[in-house]
C-alpha cells in the first residue's frame, strides 16, 4: 500500500466516524427516515470530497478537525445526489457502492425524502463550522455561499438538468435528437429551442462539445470544485492563491468525470459498484465524442494544469501540499 493509499483509508475512516455522529444527533425524526439516510451515507465510497476539504484547509495551515462539519456536509450532499440520480425517474439504477440502491431497499417515496433530508441537513451541519474558533463565522459564511452556488441550479443541479435532456444525444444526430425531445414535451413547451431546455444563456451554442463541457463541469465538476474551494475559503485563502486553487479545483473536477466516462466503458460493474449504463442510455460522454485515447489525453493535460496551479501557490505550507498533488494523480489513474 502506498503512503497515499494509507492516507485515503485513514481519512475515509475519520469521515465515517464523524458522519455517524451527525446522523445520531438528528433529533425528532422518524427512525425509518434516518435509517434511509444512514443506509446510503454508510454504504462505502471513496469519500474524496470531504478528504479534499480537509486536505485543502490543511495546505493553508488549518487542522482537519477544524473543517470537519463542512467536510461531512460535502459527503452528505454527494450522497443525496447519488440517491436521487439512481431513482427510476433519473437513471433507474439498481446498484450503488456495491449495494442495492436506496429506492430498492426503502421504496421510491422514502428514497426521495432521504435525499431531501440529507440536502437540508447539509446546510445545518455546514453552518456549525462557524462555531469553530479557528475558522470563524465570516469564513464559514463565504464558504457556505460558494458551496450552495456550486451545488444548486448554477452548478450541480444545472449540470444534471442538461444531462437529463442530453440523453440520447450520444447515439443520435442533433436534428433527430431535438425532434425526439420536443415530442416528449407538453404543448406549451413545444416551440422552445433546445438551448431553453438544456443550457444557461452564458453558454452560447448547442454543439455536442459545448453541451458536454457544460454537463461535465457542472454535474460532477462543481461539487469537486465546491469541496476544494470550501477548504480554501474556510482557511481564509484570498487573492491569487484563491485563483490558483480554483484552477486546480476546476481541472481535477473535470478529470474526475472524464475518467468516470472512461471507466463506464473499460471497468466492470463489480469493480465500480454500480451499473455501467452510459452507452445503454445514449449518454453524451467524453468517450462518445473523443474516443478513449482522446479522453485520456485530455485528462492528462488537465492534470498538468492542476499541478502547475499548485506549484504557483505562495501562501500554502509546501509540506502539506502533497495530498493535493497525489489526489490529482489519483483522479486520473483511479480504477473505481
Ligand atoms: C440528482 C441533483 C442530482 C444530481 C446528480 C452526482 C450526480 C448529479 C449524478 C451522479 C451520476 C454519476 C454517477 C456521475 C459520475 C460521477 C460521480 C459523481 C460518480 C460517483 O462519485 P464517486 O466515484 O462515488 O466519488 P463514491 O461512491 O466513491 O462516493
Amino acid at each position: 500500500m502506498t503512503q497515499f493509499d494509507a492516507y485515503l483509508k485513514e481519512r475515509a475512516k475519520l469521515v465515517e466516524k464523524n458522519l455517524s455522529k451527525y446522523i445520531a444527533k438528528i433529533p425528532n425524526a422518524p427512525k425509518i427516515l434516518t435509517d434511509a439516510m444512514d443506509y446510503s451515507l454508510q454504504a462505502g465510497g471513496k469519500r474524496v470530497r470531504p478528504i479534499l476539504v480537509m486536505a485543502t484547509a490543511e495546505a493553508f495551515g488549518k487542522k482537519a478537525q477544524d473543517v470537519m462539519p463542512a467536510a461531512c456536509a460535502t459527503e452528505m450532499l454527494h450522497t443525496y445526489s447519488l440517491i436521487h440520480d439512481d431513482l427510476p425517474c433519473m437513471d433507474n439504477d439498481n446498484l450503488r457502492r456495491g449495494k442495492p440502491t436506496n429506492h430498492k431497499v426503502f421504496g421510491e417515496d422514502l428514497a426521495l425524502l432521504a435525499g431531501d433530508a440529507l440536502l437540508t441537513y447539509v446546510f445545518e451541519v455546514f453552518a456549525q463550522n462557524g462555531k469553530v474558533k479557528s475558522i470563524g463565522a465570516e469564513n464559514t459564511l463565504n464558504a457556505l455561499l460558494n458551496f450552495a452556488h456550486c451545488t444548486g441550479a448554477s452548478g450541480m443541479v444545472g449540470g444534471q438538468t442538461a444531462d437529463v435532456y442530453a440523453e440520447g444525444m450520444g447515439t443520435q444526430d442533433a436534428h433527430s435528437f431535438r425532434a425526439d425531445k420536443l415530442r416528449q414535451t407538453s404543448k406549451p413547451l413545444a416551440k422552445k429551442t433546445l438551448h431553453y431546455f438544456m443550457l444557461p444563456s452564458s453558454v452560447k451554442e448547442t454543439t455536442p462539445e459545448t453541451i458536454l463541457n457544460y454537463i461535465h463541469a457542472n454535474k460532477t465538476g462543481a461539487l469537486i470544485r465546491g469541496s476544494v474551494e470550501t477548504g480554501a475559503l474556510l482557511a481564509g485563502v484570498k487573492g491569487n492563491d484563491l485563483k490558483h486553487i480554483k484552477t486546480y479545483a476546476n481541472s481535477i473536477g473535470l478529470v474526475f468525470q472524464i475518467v468516470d466516462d472512461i471507466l463506464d466503458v473499460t471497468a466492470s460493474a463489480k469493480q465500480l459498484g454500480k451499473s455501467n449504463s452510459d452507452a445503454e442510455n445514449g449518454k453524451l460522454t467524453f468517450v462518445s465524442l473523443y474516443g478513449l485515447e482522446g479522453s485520456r489525453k485530455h485528462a492528462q493535460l488537465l492534470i498538468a494544469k492542476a499541478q502547475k496551479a499548485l506549484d504557483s501557490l505562495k501562501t500554502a505550507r509546501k509540506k502539506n501540499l502533497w495530498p493535493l498533488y497525489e489526489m490529482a494523480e489519483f483522479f486520473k489513474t483511479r480504477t473505481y
Side-chain angles (χ1 to χ4, degrees), residues 33 155 213 220 306:
L33 180 61
N213 273 330
T220 312

Side-chain angles (χ1 to χ4, degrees), residues 1-7 9:
M1 192 188 285
T2 66
Q3 187 193 3
F4 187 63
D5 290 338
Y7 167 88
K9 213 169 148 195

Side-chain angles (χ1 to χ4, degrees), residues 216-228:
H216 278 22
N218 288 283
K219 182 183 83 167
T220 312
L223 177 53
I224 304 266
R225 190 167 80 230
S227 302
V228 174

Side-chain angles (χ1 to χ4, degrees), residues 32-97:
I32 186 73
L33 180 61
T34 51
D35 281 357
M37 292 161 80
D38 201 35
Y39 173 78
S40 292
L41 214 45
Q42 298 290 2
K46 298 178 283 299
R47 317 298 189 188
V48 292
R49 295 154 191 83
I51 294 174
L52 278 169
V53 176
M54 294 186 274
T56 309
E58 285 176 298
F60 290 96
K62 300 295 175 194
K63 296 197 172 66
Q65 202 57 38
D66 295 344
V67 296
M68 193 55 76
C72 286
T74 63
E75 187 66 17
M76 290 176 193
L77 195 129
H78 171 55
T79 304
Y80 118 76
S81 79
L82 297 179
I83 296 174
H84 282 190
D85 188 64
D86 291 333
L87 285 171
C89 63
M90 298 257 182
D91 275 1
N92 195 16
D93 275 320
N94 297 330
L95 197 64
R96 170 71 66 185
R97 291 173 160 171

